[in-house]
Amino acid sequence: MVAASVTLSSISFLSQATILPKKVQYSLFSECLSLRNFSETSRVESRSFLAPQSSQPTKRLVILCKCLKSPTNLHIAAETVAFFRGIGLDEKEIESLLDRNPILKVTSLDKLRARILSLQSVGIKGIAFCRLFTKSPNVLIAEEIDPLIGFMRKDLGGKIEPMQVERLLTSTETKFLVGFDQKVRLLLQHGISEEKLFHVLNNANLTKALCIKSVEEMERTLDFLDPFGGTYIIVRCPKILNYDLDTQLIPKIRLFNQLSGGNVDATAAVLRKLPAVLTYSVKHVGNHVEFLRSFVGLSDREIFRIILVFPAVISASRERKLRPRIEFLKHCGLDSEDIFKFLTKAPLFLALSFDNLAHKLGFLVKIGYEYRTKELAAAMGAVTRTSCENMQKVVGVFLSYGLSFADIFTMSKKHPQILQYNHNSLEEKMEYLIEEMGREVGELLAFPAFLGYKLDGRIKHRYEVKRKTLGEGMSINKLLSVSAERFSTRMTKNPVYN
């Protein structure tokens, strides 16, 4: 039988206003002292522990207990409780913490303090301690923590965000933290710059992206992604690293590559333009492809061409956006070939909000467009490239120069793009046409494409050159529509000397 001698004054914290939680007291007595094993030879010497120790002799509670092989000093456990209270844990949290990790009751306070200082060095402070320790108490004692924190602090300069570190430690078994540094270095070796590295680490799920994957699997993933944009698409969309190579990334990229006819460069172009397409499931992308096949009548080549121009088509809801808008185009008289051409020129038609399109449709009808006509569809395609506000101001500019809604309708039928031009640029060109060139605004009805040319780079330059030989009455159509090559050839044959 082993004697466990416990000084009663060592568990008295009335003078410090620190009292062991009842559950901890019960645990210490029932589990460590095993009261059922009291011997008949047990003896108790008691006195009031409130009296000063210097005035009366020390008296002890001596318990002879079979379950103990060495003395257990309750003062150690009490100091541990006080320690956790000091970092912000309440009584219930402490009880839960010690229940889940009994080893903490006898863990050196120096070791605990060192671990907390280590965590503080990477930004875990204040209330974050409470969250971290209550969710993952093993962080306080696991041997894998120190190498990880050391790497984050020294090699990564403490630039991983504290919330990201906390999330990593609370959601990852400590055994999976081994090799974290090696996997991070793999990202650097595959071309991710140090500057971009922290963006990746702060936006990926570090548990899924690095910890639960072996070094070999990380290497395979990076090698597989290299021909399709590799580290560029990882930097653009760090979530890509969260996915499993064999069950997620390979099937997703294979689907796009099949649509492209096996063109790796074209597939890479899609992924570079919008890496987030890889966040959608194979089923989701497949359903969109099947919809465009069956409902629109497009071939795989045409579908891929639309995806290449506008990868975000994959994110548009089939029932809320794609179906009603394709139906609108069909009602306007467009067949599959027309719809394909429309969507490659005006893909935003599939993405804009209903209110945005309804507002623009109202403007077009007010100008003179009729429902269910190809002209209306062409105009809708043009105005998807501009805001409602700019479109309204464009119409206002035309009206301010004396044009009517009927005139605007006539011009836009010939050249729908006039409705999408910047209203300030439009006004400058019309002012130059009237004030500098001395032309009538009505000439725009015959040649509205005038408004699409650059003012300084083409209109002013050609007008000034030709005015010296042809005078001021030249056709603005012939002046601007001829190619730059032909214009240069004519100038060479008919040079003008100052």
Side-chain angles (χ1 to χ4, degrees), residues 412-456:
S412 63
K413 280 182 64 177
K414 291 182 178 180
H415 193 68
Q417 293 89 334
I418 64 168
L419 297 173
Q420 73 186 46
Y421 294 147
N422 178 273
H423 67 96
N424 289 321
S425 174
L426 199 67
E427 189 164 14
E428 289 178 357
K429 293 172 187 176
M430 293 183 71
E431 183 177 353
Y432 186 80
L433 176 72
I434 296 169
E435 300 296 334
E436 299 297 327
M437 297 178 69
R439 316 304 285 264
E440 297 292 331
V441 71
E443 290 191 51
L444 293 175
L445 299 178
F447 186 61
F450 169 87
L451 299 170
Y453 294 105
K454 292 183 178 181
L455 179 59
D456 293 322

Side-chain angles (χ1 to χ4, degrees), residues 102-137:
I103 194 173
L104 290 174
K105 299 171 187 176
V106 292
T107 300
S108 164
L109 292 185
D110 288 338
K111 183 176 181 180
L112 294 177
R113 289 191 189 97
R115 179 59 53 84
I116 285 179
L117 289 173
S118 176
L119 293 168
Q120 285 179 331
S121 70
V122 290
I124 305 296
K125 300 177 181 179
I127 193 65
F129 278 130
C130 302
R131 289 195 303 262
L132 178 59
F133 300 154
T134 54
K135 292 180 181 178
S136 184

Side-chain angles (χ1 to χ4, degrees), residues 48-67:
S48 171
F49 51 79
L50 293 176
Q53 292 185 10
S54 59
S55 62
Q56 294 185 22
T58 301
K59 300 189 179 181
R60 298 174 180 272
L61 169 64
V62 180
I63 303 171
L64 301 180
C65 178
K66 293 181 180 179
C67 69

